[in-house]
Amino acid sequence: MEIRARAPGKIILAGEHAVVHGSSAVAAAIDLYTQSSLHLPPSGEDGAGVVEVDLTDSCLAFSWPCSRLLEALGETCRKAELQAPRPCSPEELAAIAKLVELHEIPEAKIWLSAGLSAFLYLYTSILGCRPGKVVVSSGLPMGAGLGSSAAFSVSLSGALLTAAGVVCAEGVVGGTEWQLLGKDHLELVNTWAFQGEKIIHGKPSGIDNAVSTFGSMIKFKKGELTNLKSGNPVKMLITDTRVGRNTKALVAGVSERASRHPDAMASVFHAVNTISEELSSIVELAATDEISMTSKEEKLAELMEMNQGLLQCMGVSHSSIETVLRSTLKYNLVSKLTGAGGGGCVLTLIPTLLSKLVLEKVTTELESHGFRCFKVEVGGQGLQTHRG
Ligand SMILES: Nc1ncnc2c1ncn2[C@@H]1O[C@H](COP(=O)(O)OP(=O)(O)OP(=O)(O)O)[C@@H](O)[C@H]1O
Ligand SMILES: C[C@@](O)(CCO)CC(=O)[O-]
Ligand SMILES: [Mg+2]
């Protein structure tokens, strides 16, 4: 049996980091996906065979004998409560980390160990210690602010829960082989993926896994999700600075700054909340044609610029991000970092009336710094599955 699931990455238009501290944020799915393909042999003896994961983008594969997993995880390996995942306990996480350490991961790719821990947790909690192979491939740059960790956790959870028979597809995505899950099943996938994100991120707000699961454009605050009807989606150029960073460390850094300067940072988070609220109202208003496209774009650009200033206050900008901001400003274009910052990706709002020539010039200038530029479709479908 083969089950495939694909989950999109995301951009955050406003509110990253502040959302971890209770502010609103606005995010949208993009048309770059992480895909997990799960192959399960017919059930055999307990403890026989291996659990295998092939991370094709990193050209690395890992496997664990089922007997070894049973021995190390015991309790966990007996299928957990599938309808209500419980958080991974520190003891379990330590046992999982030891299993990951059985493999020598090259130093340059050591950041994969968090993803492998999330994989082992999700696999053994959902399917127990039965043998199987998961092949993961992604069109998303990893660790660059476009939600690769969430897309990884959502696609894995989607494939594993489908195999466990607790979720199933209800409809098709027109003109493709992909199928969609109903709302309750998506909720369940999202809850599991959040547990995976916790292993990778430490203290995630849940916005990345939510937008990857449900798709579309959303406003997110304290775990509550509102779908934004966005009408004409905004056009964004994405610049990947190729500066590697780690969301867990950046989120921890902002929390440390907040504990050193609680009042000042509370004001920063409050200001970001107001920006996200205003931005989401403009997106919805534009869908009713009550404001012109130009006016919508001007307002969005100004809010993005203000949000970027506040992200600098939080200490998550980077010289590479500042280079993108300066380069695009020369062409009167506004940019802001997206995701956790510290390098990674930057968004540039592309106004509808911007000439092709200017777009080419700005892209050439950004690429001359060694950055990679690409355009994405914003606000599409979330998790999709396929049973082969
Ligand atoms: N395709 C993948 N294969 C293996 N591990 C992955 C994959 N995608 C993500 N990961 C795991 O997620 C980690 C990157 O997550 P991180 O949260 O730091 O960045 P991001 O999710 O891309 O950006 P952001 O959280 O800012 O949106 C990787 O180091 C790896 O452990
Ligand atoms: C930086 C952050 O706000 C967004 C990362 O895409 C972290 C989170 O919300 O979990
Ligand atoms: Mg992440």
Side-chain angles (χ1 to χ4, degrees):
M1 170 171 61
E2 191 207 24
I3 291 165
R4 278 186 278 150
R6 66 172 192 172
K10 58 94 223 286
I11 52 172
I12 297 189
L13 288 107
E16 50 275 269
H17 288 291
V19 68
V20 176
H21 300 267
S23 302
S24 291
V26 179
I30 56 175
D31 60 341
L32 296 175
Y33 299 87
T34 294
Q35 177 170 315
S36 297
S37 306
L38 169 66
H39 307 258
L40 286 177
S43 311
E45 249 175 77
D46 235 22
V50 294
V51 170
E52 205 178 332
V53 61
D54 189 348
L55 304 177
T56 53
D57 308 295
S58 313
C59 302
L60 289 173
F62 304 86
S63 69
W64 296 266
C66 294
S67 55
R68 188 73 196 246
L69 295 177
L70 254 174
E71 187 190 322
L73 301 174
E75 289 290 303
T76 317
C77 263
R78 281 197 283 111
K79 278 197 222 168
E81 196 52 61
L82 290 181
Q83 299 296 338
R86 45 172 185 74
C88 185
S89 71
E91 297 73 38
E92 244 175 277
L93 199 53
I96 287 175
K98 278 200 184 129
L99 288 164
V100 172
E101 280 163 20
L102 292 176
H103 293 277
E104 286 207 4
I105 303 173
E107 193 53 39
K109 293 184 177 171
I110 200 66
W111 35 267
L112 277 178
S113 51
L116 286 175
S117 292
F119 166 78
L120 276 179
Y121 165 77
L122 290 170
Y123 190 100
T124 56
S125 302
I126 297 173
L127 290 183
C129 293
R130 67 181 279 196
K133 177 175 177 179
V134 180
V135 180
V136 182
S137 59
S138 184
L140 287 161
M142 218 187 287
L146 298 184
S148 73
S149 61
F152 178 71
S153 294
V154 173
S155 68
L156 270 176
S157 304
L160 294 166
L161 289 164
T162 302
V166 283
V167 303
C168 58
E170 276 188 13
V172 289
V173 184
T176 75
E177 56 176 16
W178 294 101
Q179 297 186 305
L180 297 169
L181 305 189
K183 188 164 178 298
D184 290 350
H185 288 178
L186 286 177
E187 295 280 5
L188 185 61
V189 172
N190 189 39
T191 318
W192 276 100
F194 184 53
Q195 301 304 327
E197 269 285 84
K198 279 206 226 166
I199 294 174
I200 300 174
H201 270 204
K203 199 191 164 210
S205 61
I207 187 170
D208 291 1
N209 49 281
V211 74
S212 181
T213 305
F214 296 101
S216 177
M217 188 179 283
I218 62 164
K219 182 175 85 170
F220 185 94
K221 182 173 182 146
K222 295 185 182 156
E224 291 293 315
L225 182 154
T226 314
N227 240 306
L228 299 178
K229 289 177 212 71
S230 62
N232 261 347
V234 279
K235 290 199 176 56
M236 293 283 175
L237 177 72
I238 296 185
T239 303
D240 184 356
T241 62
R242 300 185 207 244
V243 173
R245 25 55 91 230
N246 171 298
T247 300
K248 186 175 185 175
L250 287 152
V251 168
V254 173
S255 293
E256 281 159 23
R257 186 172 282 205
S259 56
R260 283 194 300 276
H261 309 285
D263 293 343
M265 288 293 277
S267 302
V268 170
F269 296 146
H270 177 71
V272 173
N273 182 62
T274 314
I275 288 172
S276 299
E277 291 293 335
E278 209 176 311
L279 193 142
S280 55
S281 316
I282 290 164
V283 164
E284 290 212 293
L285 198 62
T288 64
D289 285 338
E290 277 175 39
I291 60 171
S292 71
M293 201 60 190
T294 321
S295 163
K296 167 188 167 180
E297 287 165 355
E298 278 169 5
K299 288 189 161 84
L300 288 181
E302 195 165 18
L303 290 167
M304 282 171 61
E305 194 173 36
M306 286 157 72
N307 193 171
Q308 172 62 30
L310 293 164
L311 285 158
Q312 276 149 356
C313 289
M314 293 180 214
V316 295
S317 196
H318 184 269
S319 57
S320 60
I321 296 174
E322 304 293 327
T323 303
V324 178
L325 300 185
R326 270 199 311 277
S327 303
T328 57
L329 202 56
K330 281 195 223 160
Y331 300 88
N332 262 332
L333 297 174
V334 165
S335 306
K336 79 170 262 295
L337 69 83
T338 190
C345 289
V346 182
L347 298 179
T348 303
L349 182 70
I350 304 297
T352 323
L353 296 178
L354 188 78
S355 78
K356 242 179 140 182
L357 187 65
V358 174
L359 187 58
E360 270 169 25
K361 274 190 179 169
V362 72
T363 307
T364 307
E365 173 157 352
L366 289 166
E367 287 174 346
S368 75
H369 291 284
F371 305 148
R372 189 171 73 95
C373 295
F374 50 98
K375 285 216 276 178
V376 288
E377 293 292 325
V378 174
Q381 298 285 359
L383 174 71
Q384 298 153 48
T385 58
H386 176 82
R387 213 176 236 279

